[in-house]
Amino acid sequence: LVEKPVTFYSGGTTGLQKRIYFSMNDINNIMKFLSIGMNTVVGMDGTVQVILQNSQGRGTGAILAQALTNMGMNAYATDVMAESLEQIKLTIENKPDVWFGDSRVIYRITKELEHKVNLSTFGVKTLFLTVHLPSPVMIDYLKKVWNCEISTHYVLTEMGWGLAVDCDSKSGLHYNELGVIAEVVDPVTGKVLPDGSEGELVFTSIGYEAMPLIRYRSRDISSISSEKCICG
């Protein structure tokens, strides 16, 4: 049943060290959601450079690149640890429309190279930022240096990587309602708060087979609205 066990450290959510299990069905559903999320920022004929963990070709980066390829897009994975100039070399060779990767890594690459090369000339149309939610200051900086759109992807490994992606209207994020129940609770009492109230996000992974989690605490403060988004 279990296809991929994942052990990782995170100080944000419940507990420091975690071990999460996914079945092959779980992985297929996750990759499908991520592919659909990618399609919100690039067309089916687009090219994506995935800058994520890719140890021995079995990391998240390689899995996502394969999922996008299966969907009909052009995608390739680069290791998150690759040097900044190597990332740019691959960008020049492959001409991606989108860089999808760890926001802190993309920020570091940008800082290292902004005075060495003109990053806005490489044709990247969107920086799709994931793993760590970027601050407004970081978003403004990256948008200025790359002269491109910025989209964000909210992710918890415990919820299967694919959790929420920016709406085109930039009015908020749409989350994976088919695989996850999201609620907002009082961070002290755990009481579920009314629609639109600000509180701690908790998630129940109803769509996952190997290791569903119930009201898993994210430690992130936000709000959820049931009103119809302006995007329709």
Side-chain angles (χ1 to χ4, degrees), residues 104-170:
R104 293 182 183 179
V105 172
I106 291 176
Y107 180 77
R108 172 183 58 77
I109 293 170
T110 305
K111 276 300 209 182
E112 288 180 358
L113 297 181
E114 66 170 319
H115 298 303
K116 297 179 181 179
V117 295
N118 186 348
L119 295 171
S120 67
T121 64
F122 294 119
V124 175
K125 298 180 179 66
T126 302
L127 297 179
F128 202 175
L129 308 178
T130 188
V131 183
H132 302 97
L133 277 177
S135 68
V137 172
M138 183 188 291
I139 289 174
D140 288 344
Y141 164 74
L142 292 172
K143 189 171 185 177
K144 179 181 177 181
V145 174
W146 286 86
N147 189 29
C148 71
E149 292 296 318
I150 307 292
S151 287
T152 59
H153 172 233
Y154 176 64
V155 57
L156 293 179
T157 300
E158 299 92 321
M159 293 297 115
W161 303 300
L163 188 47
V165 295
D166 252 340
C167 175
D168 287 341
S169 69
K170 304 301 180 186

Short mmCIF file of all heavy atoms in Angstrom, two decimals, residues 104-170:
data_model
loop_
_atom_site.label_atom_id
_atom_site.label_comp_id
_atom_site.label_asym_id
_atom_site.label_seq_id
_atom_site.Cartn_x
_atom_site.Cartn_y
_atom_site.Cartn_z
N ARG A 104 12.73 30.69 -1.29
CA ARG A 104 14.00 31.17 -0.72
C ARG A 104 15.16 30.88 -1.65
O ARG A 104 16.10 31.67 -1.74
CB ARG A 104 14.22 30.54 0.65
CG ARG A 104 13.22 30.97 1.70
CD ARG A 104 13.51 30.35 3.05
NE ARG A 104 12.51 30.73 4.03
CZ ARG A 104 12.50 30.30 5.29
NH1 ARG A 104 13.44 29.46 5.71
NH2 ARG A 104 11.55 30.69 6.13
N VAL A 105 15.10 29.75 -2.34
CA VAL A 105 16.16 29.41 -3.29
C VAL A 105 16.13 30.37 -4.48
O VAL A 105 17.17 30.89 -4.91
CB VAL A 105 16.03 27.96 -3.77
CG1 VAL A 105 17.01 27.66 -4.89
CG2 VAL A 105 16.23 26.99 -2.61
N ILE A 106 14.94 30.63 -5.01
CA ILE A 106 14.82 31.55 -6.13
C ILE A 106 15.25 32.96 -5.71
O ILE A 106 15.90 33.68 -6.47
CB ILE A 106 13.38 31.54 -6.68
CG1 ILE A 106 13.12 30.19 -7.36
CG2 ILE A 106 13.14 32.69 -7.65
CD1 ILE A 106 11.69 30.00 -7.86
N TYR A 107 14.92 33.35 -4.50
CA TYR A 107 15.35 34.65 -3.98
C TYR A 107 16.89 34.71 -3.89
O TYR A 107 17.51 35.71 -4.28
CB TYR A 107 14.73 34.88 -2.61
CG TYR A 107 15.10 36.19 -1.96
CD1 TYR A 107 14.52 37.40 -2.37
CD2 TYR A 107 16.04 36.24 -0.93
CE1 TYR A 107 14.86 38.60 -1.76
CE2 TYR A 107 16.38 37.43 -0.32
CZ TYR A 107 15.79 38.61 -0.74
OH TYR A 107 16.13 39.80 -0.15
N ARG A 108 17.49 33.63 -3.39
CA ARG A 108 18.96 33.59 -3.27
C ARG A 108 19.62 33.69 -4.64
O ARG A 108 20.58 34.44 -4.83
CB ARG A 108 19.41 32.31 -2.57
CG ARG A 108 20.92 32.10 -2.58
CD ARG A 108 21.33 30.80 -1.94
NE ARG A 108 20.73 29.63 -2.55
CZ ARG A 108 21.14 29.10 -3.69
NH1 ARG A 108 22.12 29.67 -4.40
NH2 ARG A 108 20.57 28.00 -4.17
N ILE A 109 19.11 32.91 -5.60
CA ILE A 109 19.67 32.94 -6.95
C ILE A 109 19.59 34.36 -7.52
O ILE A 109 20.54 34.87 -8.12
CB ILE A 109 18.92 31.95 -7.87
CG1 ILE A 109 19.18 30.51 -7.43
CG2 ILE A 109 19.32 32.14 -9.33
CD1 ILE A 109 18.30 29.49 -8.13
N THR A 110 18.45 34.99 -7.31
CA THR A 110 18.25 36.35 -7.81
C THR A 110 19.22 37.32 -7.19
O THR A 110 19.83 38.15 -7.88
CB THR A 110 16.80 36.80 -7.54
OG1 THR A 110 15.89 35.84 -8.11
CG2 THR A 110 16.53 38.17 -8.15
N LYS A 111 19.41 37.23 -5.87
CA LYS A 111 20.33 38.11 -5.17
C LYS A 111 21.77 37.92 -5.66
O LYS A 111 22.52 38.88 -5.81
CB LYS A 111 20.26 37.84 -3.66
CG LYS A 111 19.16 38.57 -2.95
CD LYS A 111 19.30 40.07 -3.10
CE LYS A 111 18.75 40.86 -1.99
NZ LYS A 111 18.87 42.32 -2.20
N GLU A 112 22.15 36.66 -5.89
CA GLU A 112 23.52 36.37 -6.31
C GLU A 112 23.81 36.87 -7.73
O GLU A 112 24.93 37.25 -8.04
CB GLU A 112 23.77 34.85 -6.25
CG GLU A 112 23.88 34.31 -4.83
CD GLU A 112 24.12 32.81 -4.81
OE1 GLU A 112 24.16 32.20 -5.90
OE2 GLU A 112 24.26 32.25 -3.72
N LEU A 113 22.78 36.90 -8.57
CA LEU A 113 23.02 37.16 -10.00
C LEU A 113 22.49 38.49 -10.50
O LEU A 113 22.77 38.87 -11.65
CB LEU A 113 22.39 36.04 -10.83
CG LEU A 113 22.96 34.63 -10.61
CD1 LEU A 113 22.24 33.65 -11.53
CD2 LEU A 113 24.46 34.59 -10.86
N GLU A 114 21.74 39.23 -9.70
CA GLU A 114 21.06 40.42 -10.23
C GLU A 114 22.02 41.47 -10.79
O GLU A 114 21.65 42.22 -11.71
CB GLU A 114 20.17 41.05 -9.16
CG GLU A 114 20.91 41.65 -7.97
CD GLU A 114 19.97 42.46 -7.08
OE1 GLU A 114 19.12 43.20 -7.62
OE2 GLU A 114 20.11 42.36 -5.85
N HIS A 115 23.25 41.51 -10.28
CA HIS A 115 24.22 42.49 -10.78
C HIS A 115 25.22 41.87 -11.76
O HIS A 115 26.12 42.55 -12.23
CB HIS A 115 24.97 43.14 -9.61
CG HIS A 115 24.07 43.90 -8.67
ND1 HIS A 115 23.27 44.93 -9.10
CD2 HIS A 115 23.84 43.75 -7.34
CE1 HIS A 115 22.59 45.41 -8.08
NE2 HIS A 115 22.91 44.72 -7.00
N LYS A 116 25.05 40.57 -12.05
CA LYS A 116 25.95 39.89 -12.99
C LYS A 116 25.30 39.66 -14.35
O LYS A 116 25.98 39.69 -15.37
CB LYS A 116 26.40 38.54 -12.39
CG LYS A 116 27.20 38.68 -11.10
CD LYS A 116 27.57 37.31 -10.56
CE LYS A 116 28.36 37.44 -9.25
NZ LYS A 116 28.71 36.11 -8.68
N VAL A 117 24.00 39.38 -14.34
CA VAL A 117 23.27 39.16 -15.58
C VAL A 117 21.93 39.87 -15.50
O VAL A 117 21.43 40.15 -14.40
CB VAL A 117 23.03 37.65 -15.86
CG1 VAL A 117 24.34 36.92 -16.09
CG2 VAL A 117 22.27 37.00 -14.70
N ASN A 118 21.35 40.16 -16.64
CA ASN A 118 20.03 40.79 -16.68
C ASN A 118 18.98 39.68 -16.71
O ASN A 118 18.67 39.12 -17.75
CB ASN A 118 19.90 41.68 -17.91
CG ASN A 118 18.59 42.47 -17.92
OD1 ASN A 118 17.68 42.19 -17.12
ND2 ASN A 118 18.49 43.44 -18.80
N LEU A 119 18.43 39.37 -15.55
CA LEU A 119 17.51 38.24 -15.42
C LEU A 119 16.22 38.45 -16.20
O LEU A 119 15.54 37.47 -16.54
CB LEU A 119 17.21 37.99 -13.94
CG LEU A 119 18.42 37.55 -13.10
CD1 LEU A 119 18.06 37.55 -11.61
CD2 LEU A 119 18.90 36.17 -13.52
N SER A 120 15.89 39.69 -16.50
CA SER A 120 14.64 39.96 -17.21
C SER A 120 14.72 39.62 -18.70
O SER A 120 13.71 39.66 -19.40
CB SER A 120 14.24 41.42 -17.04
OG SER A 120 15.16 42.28 -17.71
N THR A 121 15.92 39.25 -19.17
CA THR A 121 16.09 38.97 -20.61
C THR A 121 15.96 37.50 -20.96
O THR A 121 16.07 37.14 -22.13
CB THR A 121 17.47 39.47 -21.08
OG1 THR A 121 18.50 38.73 -20.41
CG2 THR A 121 17.64 40.95 -20.81
N PHE A 122 15.72 36.62 -19.97
CA PHE A 122 15.72 35.19 -20.23
C PHE A 122 14.35 34.64 -20.62
O PHE A 122 14.20 33.45 -20.86
CB PHE A 122 16.26 34.42 -19.03
CG PHE A 122 17.72 34.70 -18.78
CD1 PHE A 122 18.14 35.26 -17.58
CD2 PHE A 122 18.68 34.42 -19.73
CE1 PHE A 122 19.48 35.53 -17.34
CE2 PHE A 122 20.02 34.68 -19.51
CZ PHE A 122 20.42 35.24 -18.32
N GLY A 123 13.35 35.50 -20.65
CA GLY A 123 12.04 35.07 -21.14
C GLY A 123 11.16 34.36 -20.13
O GLY A 123 10.10 33.83 -20.51
N VAL A 124 11.56 34.32 -18.87
CA VAL A 124 10.72 33.70 -17.84
C VAL A 124 9.51 34.60 -17.60
O VAL A 124 9.66 35.76 -17.23
CB VAL A 124 11.50 33.47 -16.53
CG1 VAL A 124 10.58 32.92 -15.45
CG2 VAL A 124 12.67 32.52 -16.77
N LYS A 125 8.33 34.06 -17.80
CA LYS A 125 7.11 34.87 -17.68
C LYS A 125 6.53 34.85 -16.27
O LYS A 125 5.84 35.79 -15.87
CB LYS A 125 6.06 34.36 -18.68
CG LYS A 125 6.48 34.47 -20.14
CD LYS A 125 5.39 33.94 -21.06
CE LYS A 125 5.77 34.06 -22.53
NZ LYS A 125 6.92 33.18 -22.87
N THR A 126 6.77 33.76 -15.54
CA THR A 126 6.20 33.63 -14.20
C THR A 126 7.18 32.94 -13.26
O THR A 126 7.76 31.91 -13.62
CB THR A 126 4.89 32.82 -14.21
OG1 THR A 126 3.95 33.45 -15.08
CG2 THR A 126 4.29 32.73 -12.81
N LEU A 127 7.37 33.50 -12.08
CA LEU A 127 8.03 32.80 -10.98
C LEU A 127 6.93 32.23 -10.09
O LEU A 127 6.12 32.98 -9.53
CB LEU A 127 8.91 33.75 -10.17
CG LEU A 127 10.09 34.42 -10.89
CD1 LEU A 127 10.83 35.34 -9.93
CD2 LEU A 127 11.05 33.38 -11.49
N PHE A 128 6.86 30.90 -10.01
CA PHE A 128 5.82 30.22 -9.23
C PHE A 128 6.50 29.75 -7.95
O PHE A 128 7.27 28.79 -7.95
CB PHE A 128 5.28 29.05 -10.04
CG PHE A 128 3.91 28.58 -9.64
CD1 PHE A 128 3.27 27.59 -10.38
CD2 PHE A 128 3.26 29.10 -8.54
CE1 PHE A 128 2.01 27.13 -10.03
CE2 PHE A 128 2.00 28.65 -8.17
CZ PHE A 128 1.37 27.67 -8.93
N LEU A 129 6.23 30.43 -6.84
CA LEU A 129 6.97 30.25 -5.61
C LEU A 129 6.26 29.29 -4.67
O LEU A 129 5.06 29.40 -4.43
CB LEU A 129 7.15 31.61 -4.91
CG LEU A 129 7.72 32.73 -5.80
CD1 LEU A 129 7.79 34.04 -5.01
CD2 LEU A 129 9.10 32.35 -6.34
N THR A 130 7.03 28.36 -4.11
CA THR A 130 6.46 27.34 -3.24
C THR A 130 7.35 27.10 -2.02
O THR A 130 8.36 27.78 -1.83
CB THR A 130 6.25 26.02 -4.02
OG1 THR A 130 5.52 25.10 -3.20
CG2 THR A 130 7.56 25.41 -4.46
N VAL A 131 7.01 26.13 -1.21
CA VAL A 131 7.68 25.68 0.02
C VAL A 131 7.54 26.72 1.13
O VAL A 131 6.93 26.47 2.16
CB VAL A 131 9.17 25.33 -0.20
CG1 VAL A 131 9.79 24.81 1.10
CG2 VAL A 131 9.32 24.28 -1.31
N HIS A 132 8.15 27.90 0.97
CA HIS A 132 8.05 28.96 1.96
C HIS A 132 7.23 30.12 1.38
O HIS A 132 7.54 30.60 0.29
CB HIS A 132 9.43 29.48 2.35
CG HIS A 132 10.33 28.43 2.91
ND1 HIS A 132 11.27 27.77 2.13
CD2 HIS A 132 10.43 27.90 4.15
CE1 HIS A 132 11.92 26.90 2.88
NE2 HIS A 132 11.41 26.94 4.10
N LEU A 133 6.19 30.53 2.09
CA LEU A 133 5.38 31.64 1.59
C LEU A 133 6.22 32.92 1.58
O LEU A 133 6.78 33.31 2.61
CB LEU A 133 4.15 31.84 2.46
CG LEU A 133 2.95 30.94 2.16
CD1 LEU A 133 1.83 31.22 3.16
CD2 LEU A 133 2.44 31.15 0.75
N PRO A 134 6.33 33.60 0.43
CA PRO A 134 7.15 34.80 0.35
C PRO A 134 6.44 36.00 0.96
O PRO A 134 5.21 36.09 0.96
CB PRO A 134 7.33 34.99 -1.16
CG PRO A 134 6.08 34.39 -1.75
CD PRO A 134 5.73 33.23 -0.86
N SER A 135 7.24 36.92 1.46
CA SER A 135 6.68 38.16 1.99
C SER A 135 6.33 39.10 0.85
O SER A 135 6.85 38.95 -0.27
CB SER A 135 7.70 38.84 2.91
OG SER A 135 8.80 39.31 2.14
N PRO A 136 5.48 40.09 1.08
CA PRO A 136 5.17 41.09 0.04
C PRO A 136 6.43 41.79 -0.47
O PRO A 136 6.54 42.08 -1.67
CB PRO A 136 4.22 42.06 0.74
CG PRO A 136 3.55 41.23 1.80
CD PRO A 136 4.62 40.28 2.27
N VAL A 137 7.38 42.05 0.41
CA VAL A 137 8.63 42.71 0.01
C VAL A 137 9.41 41.82 -0.95
O VAL A 137 9.94 42.28 -1.97
CB VAL A 137 9.49 43.05 1.25
CG1 VAL A 137 10.87 43.55 0.83
CG2 VAL A 137 8.79 44.10 2.11
N MET A 138 9.48 40.51 -0.66
CA MET A 138 10.18 39.57 -1.53
C MET A 138 9.50 39.49 -2.89
O MET A 138 10.17 39.49 -3.94
CB MET A 138 10.22 38.18 -0.89
CG MET A 138 11.00 37.15 -1.71
SD MET A 138 10.85 35.46 -1.06
CE MET A 138 11.77 35.61 0.47
N ILE A 139 8.17 39.45 -2.89
CA ILE A 139 7.42 39.38 -4.15
C ILE A 139 7.69 40.61 -5.00
O ILE A 139 7.96 40.51 -6.21
CB ILE A 139 5.92 39.23 -3.87
CG1 ILE A 139 5.63 37.83 -3.30
CG2 ILE A 139 5.10 39.47 -5.13
CD1 ILE A 139 4.20 37.64 -2.85
N ASP A 140 7.65 41.80 -4.39
CA ASP A 140 7.89 43.05 -5.14
C ASP A 140 9.30 43.07 -5.72
O ASP A 140 9.51 43.50 -6.86
CB ASP A 140 7.68 44.25 -4.23
CG ASP A 140 6.21 44.49 -3.89
OD1 ASP A 140 5.35 43.93 -4.58
OD2 ASP A 140 5.94 45.21 -2.91
N TYR A 141 10.26 42.61 -4.93
CA TYR A 141 11.66 42.59 -5.38
C TYR A 141 11.83 41.65 -6.58
O TYR A 141 12.42 42.03 -7.60
CB TYR A 141 12.56 42.16 -4.23
CG TYR A 141 13.95 41.74 -4.66
CD1 TYR A 141 14.90 42.68 -5.05
CD2 TYR A 141 14.31 40.39 -4.67
CE1 TYR A 141 16.17 42.29 -5.46
CE2 TYR A 141 15.57 40.00 -5.08
CZ TYR A 141 16.50 40.95 -5.45
OH TYR A 141 17.75 40.55 -5.86
N LEU A 142 11.32 40.43 -6.47
CA LEU A 142 11.46 39.45 -7.56
C LEU A 142 10.75 39.92 -8.83
O LEU A 142 11.26 39.76 -9.93
CB LEU A 142 10.92 38.10 -7.12
CG LEU A 142 11.71 37.37 -6.03
CD1 LEU A 142 10.96 36.14 -5.55
CD2 LEU A 142 13.10 36.99 -6.52
N LYS A 143 9.58 40.51 -8.64
CA LYS A 143 8.82 41.00 -9.79
C LYS A 143 9.58 42.10 -10.53
O LYS A 143 9.61 42.14 -11.76
CB LYS A 143 7.47 41.53 -9.32
CG LYS A 143 6.50 41.86 -10.45
CD LYS A 143 5.12 42.17 -9.90
CE LYS A 143 4.12 42.37 -11.03
NZ LYS A 143 2.75 42.60 -10.50
N LYS A 144 10.26 42.95 -9.77
CA LYS A 144 11.02 44.05 -10.37
C LYS A 144 12.24 43.54 -11.11
O LYS A 144 12.51 43.94 -12.25
CB LYS A 144 11.43 45.04 -9.27
CG LYS A 144 12.26 46.21 -9.78
CD LYS A 144 12.67 47.13 -8.64
CE LYS A 144 13.56 48.27 -9.15
NZ LYS A 144 13.98 49.16 -8.02
N VAL A 145 13.00 42.64 -10.49
CA VAL A 145 14.25 42.17 -11.08
C VAL A 145 13.99 41.30 -12.32
O VAL A 145 14.67 41.41 -13.33
CB VAL A 145 15.09 41.39 -10.05
CG1 VAL A 145 16.33 40.77 -10.69
CG2 VAL A 145 15.52 42.32 -8.91
N TRP A 146 13.00 40.42 -12.24
CA TRP A 146 12.70 39.50 -13.35
C TRP A 146 11.74 40.10 -14.37
O TRP A 146 11.60 39.58 -15.47
CB TRP A 146 12.12 38.20 -12.81
CG TRP A 146 13.11 37.32 -12.14
CD1 TRP A 146 13.51 37.37 -10.83
CD2 TRP A 146 13.83 36.23 -12.73
NE1 TRP A 146 14.43 36.38 -10.57
CE2 TRP A 146 14.65 35.67 -11.72
CE3 TRP A 146 13.87 35.68 -14.00
CZ2 TRP A 146 15.50 34.58 -11.95
CZ3 TRP A 146 14.70 34.60 -14.25
CH2 TRP A 146 15.51 34.06 -13.22
N ASN A 147 11.04 41.16 -13.96
CA ASN A 147 10.04 41.79 -14.83
C ASN A 147 9.03 40.74 -15.32
O ASN A 147 8.79 40.57 -16.52
CB ASN A 147 10.69 42.49 -16.02
CG ASN A 147 9.70 43.33 -16.81
OD1 ASN A 147 8.72 43.83 -16.25
ND2 ASN A 147 9.93 43.48 -18.11
N CYS A 148 8.48 40.00 -14.37
CA CYS A 148 7.53 38.94 -14.72
C CYS A 148 6.47 38.82 -13.64
O CYS A 148 6.53 39.50 -12.61
CB CYS A 148 8.27 37.61 -14.90
SG CYS A 148 8.89 36.90 -13.35
N GLU A 149 5.49 37.94 -13.88
CA GLU A 149 4.44 37.70 -12.91
C GLU A 149 4.96 36.83 -11.76
O GLU A 149 5.87 36.02 -11.94
CB GLU A 149 3.24 37.01 -13.57
CG GLU A 149 2.51 37.88 -14.57
CD GLU A 149 1.87 39.08 -13.91
OE1 GLU A 149 1.29 38.92 -12.82
OE2 GLU A 149 1.97 40.18 -14.48
N ILE A 150 4.33 36.97 -10.60
CA ILE A 150 4.65 36.14 -9.44
C ILE A 150 3.39 35.42 -9.00
O ILE A 150 2.35 36.04 -8.80
CB ILE A 150 5.19 36.99 -8.27
CG1 ILE A 150 6.35 37.88 -8.71
CG2 ILE A 150 5.59 36.07 -7.12
CD1 ILE A 150 7.61 37.14 -9.08
N SER A 151 3.47 34.09 -8.85
CA SER A 151 2.38 33.31 -8.29
C SER A 151 2.91 32.53 -7.09
O SER A 151 4.10 32.20 -7.03
CB SER A 151 1.80 32.34 -9.32
OG SER A 151 1.04 33.02 -10.29
N THR A 152 2.03 32.26 -6.15
CA THR A 152 2.46 31.53 -4.95
C THR A 152 1.67 30.24 -4.80
O THR A 152 0.54 30.11 -5.27
CB THR A 152 2.28 32.39 -3.68
OG1 THR A 152 0.90 32.75 -3.54
CG2 THR A 152 3.12 33.64 -3.75
N HIS A 153 2.30 29.31 -4.14
CA HIS A 153 1.75 27.97 -3.93
C HIS A 153 1.92 27.64 -2.45
O HIS A 153 3.05 27.62 -1.94
CB HIS A 153 2.51 26.97 -4.80
CG HIS A 153 2.18 25.53 -4.54
ND1 HIS A 153 3.14 24.58 -4.27
CD2 HIS A 153 0.99 24.88 -4.51
CE1 HIS A 153 2.57 23.40 -4.10
NE2 HIS A 153 1.26 23.56 -4.23
N TYR A 154 0.82 27.42 -1.75
CA TYR A 154 0.86 27.11 -0.32
C TYR A 154 0.89 25.59 -0.16
O TYR A 154 0.03 24.89 -0.71
CB TYR A 154 -0.36 27.70 0.39
CG TYR A 154 -0.45 27.35 1.86
CD1 TYR A 154 0.50 27.78 2.77
CD2 TYR A 154 -1.53 26.59 2.33
CE1 TYR A 154 0.40 27.46 4.12
CE2 TYR A 154 -1.64 26.27 3.68
CZ TYR A 154 -0.67 26.71 4.56
OH TYR A 154 -0.76 26.38 5.90
N VAL A 155 1.86 25.11 0.58
CA VAL A 155 2.09 23.67 0.63
C VAL A 155 2.40 23.20 2.04
O VAL A 155 3.08 23.88 2.80
CB VAL A 155 3.24 23.27 -0.33
CG1 VAL A 155 4.51 24.03 0.01
CG2 VAL A 155 3.50 21.77 -0.31
N LEU A 156 1.85 22.05 2.39
CA LEU A 156 2.28 21.29 3.57
C LEU A 156 2.58 19.88 3.09
O LEU A 156 1.74 19.25 2.44
CB LEU A 156 1.18 21.23 4.64
CG LEU A 156 0.77 22.52 5.35
CD1 LEU A 156 -0.34 22.21 6.34
CD2 LEU A 156 1.95 23.15 6.07
N THR A 157 3.76 19.38 3.39
CA THR A 157 4.09 18.01 3.00
C THR A 157 3.06 17.03 3.54
O THR A 157 2.66 16.07 2.87
CB THR A 157 5.49 17.64 3.51
OG1 THR A 157 6.43 18.54 2.95
CG2 THR A 157 5.86 16.21 3.13
N GLU A 158 2.59 17.30 4.77
CA GLU A 158 1.63 16.40 5.41
C GLU A 158 0.31 16.31 4.64
O GLU A 158 -0.42 15.33 4.74
CB GLU A 158 1.34 16.89 6.83
CG GLU A 158 2.58 16.93 7.72
CD GLU A 158 3.28 18.28 7.70
OE1 GLU A 158 3.35 18.90 6.62
OE2 GLU A 158 3.77 18.70 8.76
N MET A 159 0.01 17.35 3.88
CA MET A 159 -1.22 17.37 3.07
C MET A 159 -0.93 17.00 1.62
O MET A 159 -1.75 17.23 0.73
CB MET A 159 -1.88 18.74 3.14
CG MET A 159 -2.43 19.10 4.51
SD MET A 159 -3.74 17.97 5.08
CE MET A 159 -2.94 17.21 6.50
N GLY A 160 0.26 16.45 1.36
CA GLY A 160 0.56 15.96 0.03
C GLY A 160 1.06 17.01 -0.94
O GLY A 160 0.71 16.96 -2.12
N TRP A 161 1.87 17.95 -0.45
CA TRP A 161 2.52 18.96 -1.30
C TRP A 161 1.52 19.89 -1.98
O TRP A 161 1.60 21.09 -1.85
CB TRP A 161 3.43 18.32 -2.35
CG TRP A 161 4.48 17.45 -1.79
CD1 TRP A 161 5.47 17.81 -0.91
CD2 TRP A 161 4.66 16.05 -2.02
NE1 TRP A 161 6.25 16.74 -0.58
CE2 TRP A 161 5.78 15.64 -1.26
CE3 TRP A 161 4.00 15.12 -2.80
CZ2 TRP A 161 6.25 14.33 -1.26
CZ3 TRP A 161 4.45 13.82 -2.81
CH2 TRP A 161 5.57 13.43 -2.04
N GLY A 162 0.57 19.35 -2.72
CA GLY A 162 -0.39 20.21 -3.42
C GLY A 162 -1.50 20.62 -2.48
O GLY A 162 -2.29 19.78 -2.06
N LEU A 163 -1.59 21.89 -2.13
CA LEU A 163 -2.62 22.32 -1.18
C LEU A 163 -3.40 23.52 -1.69
O LEU A 163 -4.62 23.49 -1.78
CB LEU A 163 -2.01 22.63 0.18
CG LEU A 163 -2.98 22.90 1.33
CD1 LEU A 163 -4.09 21.86 1.40
CD2 LEU A 163 -2.23 22.94 2.66
N ALA A 164 -2.73 24.60 -2.09
CA ALA A 164 -3.45 25.78 -2.56
C ALA A 164 -2.57 26.57 -3.52
O ALA A 164 -1.35 26.62 -3.35
CB ALA A 164 -3.87 26.65 -1.39
N VAL A 165 -3.21 27.19 -4.52
CA VAL A 165 -2.48 28.00 -5.50
C VAL A 165 -3.17 29.35 -5.65
O VAL A 165 -4.37 29.48 -5.44
CB VAL A 165 -2.37 27.31 -6.88
CG1 VAL A 165 -1.55 26.05 -6.79
CG2 VAL A 165 -3.77 27.01 -7.42
N ASP A 166 -2.37 30.34 -6.02
CA ASP A 166 -2.88 31.69 -6.24
C ASP A 166 -4.01 31.71 -7.26
O ASP A 166 -3.94 31.04 -8.29
CB ASP A 166 -1.75 32.57 -6.81
CG ASP A 166 -1.24 33.58 -5.79
OD1 ASP A 166 -1.97 33.87 -4.83
OD2 ASP A 166 -0.12 34.08 -5.98
N CYS A 167 -5.03 32.50 -6.97
CA CYS A 167 -6.06 32.77 -7.97
C CYS A 167 -5.49 33.75 -8.99
O CYS A 167 -4.65 34.59 -8.66
CB CYS A 167 -7.29 33.37 -7.29
SG CYS A 167 -8.58 33.88 -8.44
N ASP A 168 -5.95 33.66 -10.23
CA ASP A 168 -5.51 34.60 -11.26
C ASP A 168 -5.81 36.04 -10.87
O ASP A 168 -5.09 36.96 -11.25
CB ASP A 168 -6.21 34.29 -12.59
CG ASP A 168 -5.68 33.03 -13.24
OD1 ASP A 168 -4.56 32.60 -12.87
OD2 ASP A 168 -6.35 32.47 -14.13
N SER A 169 -6.86 36.24 -10.09
CA SER A 169 -7.25 37.58 -9.67
C SER A 169 -6.36 38.13 -8.56
O SER A 169 -6.46 39.31 -8.21
CB SER A 169 -8.69 37.59 -9.19
OG SER A 169 -8.80 36.88 -7.96
N LYS A 170 -5.49 37.28 -7.99
CA LYS A 170 -4.61 37.64 -6.87
C LYS A 170 -5.40 38.07 -5.63
O LYS A 170 -4.90 38.84 -4.80
CB LYS A 170 -3.63 38.75 -7.28
CG LYS A 170 -2.78 38.41 -8.50
CD LYS A 170 -1.96 37.16 -8.30
CE LYS A 170 -1.11 36.85 -9.53
NZ LYS A 170 -0.41 35.57 -9.43
#
